[in-house]
Amino acid sequence: MNIIDGKKISSEIRAEAAKKASLLAGRGVIPGLAVILVGDNPASISYVTAKEKACAEVGIRSFPVRLPREASQEELLGHISAFNSNPDVHGILVQLPLPEHIDESAVISAISPEKDVDGFHPANVGKMLLGEDAPLPCTPHGIIELLVRCGVETSGKHAVVIGRSNIVGKPVACLLMRRKPGPNATVTVCHTGTKNLAEYTRCADIVIAAAGRPGTVTADMIKDGAVVIDVGVNRIPDQSRKSGFRLVGDVDFQSVAPKASLITPVPGGVGPMTIAMLMDNTVKSAERAARLN
Ligand code: NAD
């Protein structure tokens, strides 16, 4: 079977986090995660709900905040400031995207770097780039964990990343090129400025697709035996579903799967890993705080 079971691997990581959380609880420290949602974007609501559910399972106390779409930036910053100084809160997550009138980078920068469990704060991004210890962004870190736990040899291999966003493309490229004991891969980053995407993907041992466009990767673009990680989450209208839509990735799964040595499905691949790494980051932050006390 060449389908990577992200749900299974993520549940292993969550079980490990739960074990650490219960050790902390034995010492009187309950890991705490503030989960802030502004507005009522249906996808964001479902992500936040899934994150809070995972918190409950792992033994993390969640501190939910729901603000209306029209909430001001000052109000949001006020909540962040309160959580920054609350010792019961070890992680602060602001669900993105934010409404247009709110400056996303000002909000991310307002989160204390020690509590930045999304790994988006510029100080933590800088540390990641320098190879210093810092909370790693959850989706890219989850992708690396999938590769490691599936025993994929990455050292000396050619990885092609499709996408250059700050939350997936750039950080996953950065992590993939980390020297041993990191992945130690040779990395090519493709984006909307890339002239012939297939020329690059056909030479790839590992393809990471994070374009946010269905059908970006088709069978003719993949060499036999490549490892294909599909990060894309795209909602396609589907009247046969109760929800009225179904989720597909960026990879044409039906045609690519027979050629790939390993491939992630959507859903059930990278998505669950993002939540697992968030749990891991929150528990690690609580462990750090407990050590300092
Ligand atoms: P984004 O829109 O910010 O970035 C997309 C990137 O892909 C851009 O850098 C763009 O240059 C590149 N791109 C787009 N079309 C391309 C093409 N045809 N050829 C080459 N490059 C192309 O998106 P993002 O936030 O990085 O997210 C990417 C996808 O991953 C989305 O579908 C998103 O929903 C999904 N995502 C999933 C998770 C998860 O947990 N599974 C987490 C984050 C993002």
Side-chain angles (χ1 to χ4, degrees):
M1 196 63 169
N2 69 341
I3 299 174
I4 295 177
D5 189 345
K7 275 194 197 159
K8 180 166 167 276
I9 297 173
S10 84
S11 72
E12 287 164 13
I13 294 171
R14 278 183 283 130
E16 289 161 20
K19 214 170 177 180
K20 290 190 244 170
S22 98
L23 285 176
L24 277 170
R27 294 164 52 199
V29 177
I30 309 291
L33 177 66
V35 182
I36 307 177
L37 173 65
V38 185
D40 54 6
N41 177 312
S44 294
I45 292 173
S46 76
Y47 291 143
V48 159
T49 309
K51 287 167 186 176
E52 287 170 350
K53 188 166 161 260
C55 279
E57 283 166 14
V58 167
I60 294 172
R61 188 172 155 206
S62 50
F63 294 76
V65 174
R66 300 286 186 271
L67 299 175
R69 214 202 154 276
E70 56 282 0
S72 69
Q73 182 164 318
E74 286 62 40
E75 188 180 355
L76 174 54
L77 291 176
H79 283 283
I80 291 174
S81 166
F83 285 133
N84 277 343
S85 47
N86 182 344
D88 293 334
V89 172
H90 305 97
I92 302 171
L93 176 140
V94 179
Q95 186 64 43
L96 303 178
L98 289 166
E100 263 172 25
H101 65 277
I102 298 181
D103 178 353
E104 213 159 87
S105 62
V107 169
I108 291 169
S109 296
I111 297 170
S112 157
E114 290 75 33
K115 299 189 180 187
D116 167 40
V117 282
D118 260 336
F120 293 161
H121 191 286
N124 289 327
V125 175
K127 283 186 172 180
M128 175 185 66
L129 199 59
L130 296 170
E132 292 175 14
D133 192 27
L136 297 175
C138 301
T139 303
H141 191 195
I143 294 167
I144 303 296
E145 275 299 310
L146 272 186
L147 296 172
V148 169
R149 290 181 189 236
C150 290
V152 174
E153 176 60 83
T154 50
S155 184
K157 301 291 179 186
H158 182 202
V160 170
V161 176
I162 309 171
R164 58 177 159 190
S165 74
N166 290 338
I167 63 166
V168 189
K170 277 185 213 161
V172 81
C174 170
L175 296 178
L176 280 164
M177 73 171 97
R178 278 188 168 182
R179 68 195 312 161
K180 276 190 165 181
N184 206 31
T186 301
V187 183
T188 300
V189 181
C190 296
H191 43 75
T192 44
T194 301
K195 288 250 164 60
N196 186 350
L197 181 61
E199 202 177 291
Y200 298 92
T201 55
R202 275 190 208 117
C203 318
D205 303 303
I206 301 163
V207 174
I208 315 271
R213 297 212 166 106
T216 302
V217 178
T218 48
D220 56 309
M221 297 169 71
I222 295 291
K223 77 172 176 188
D224 278 329
V227 173
V228 180
I229 306 292
D230 191 354
V231 191
V233 179
N234 307 294
R235 286 184 173 208
I236 301 286
D238 184 344
Q239 292 319 317
S240 70
R241 304 281 174 106
K242 210 169 94 193
S243 61
F245 67 86
R246 70 194 151 88
L247 296 180
V248 299
D250 291 350
V251 175
D252 177 27
F253 187 85
Q254 293 305 331
S255 70
V256 173
K259 267 184 110 175
S261 62
L262 282 172
I263 185 167
T264 57
V266 176
V270 173
M273 292 300 290
T274 298
I275 296 184
M277 301 326 290
L278 174 70
M279 300 298 109
D280 182 59
N281 274 351
T282 304
V283 171
K284 279 185 181 148
S285 176
E287 285 177 335
R288 267 195 309 272
R291 267 199 302 275
L292 293 176
N293 278 336

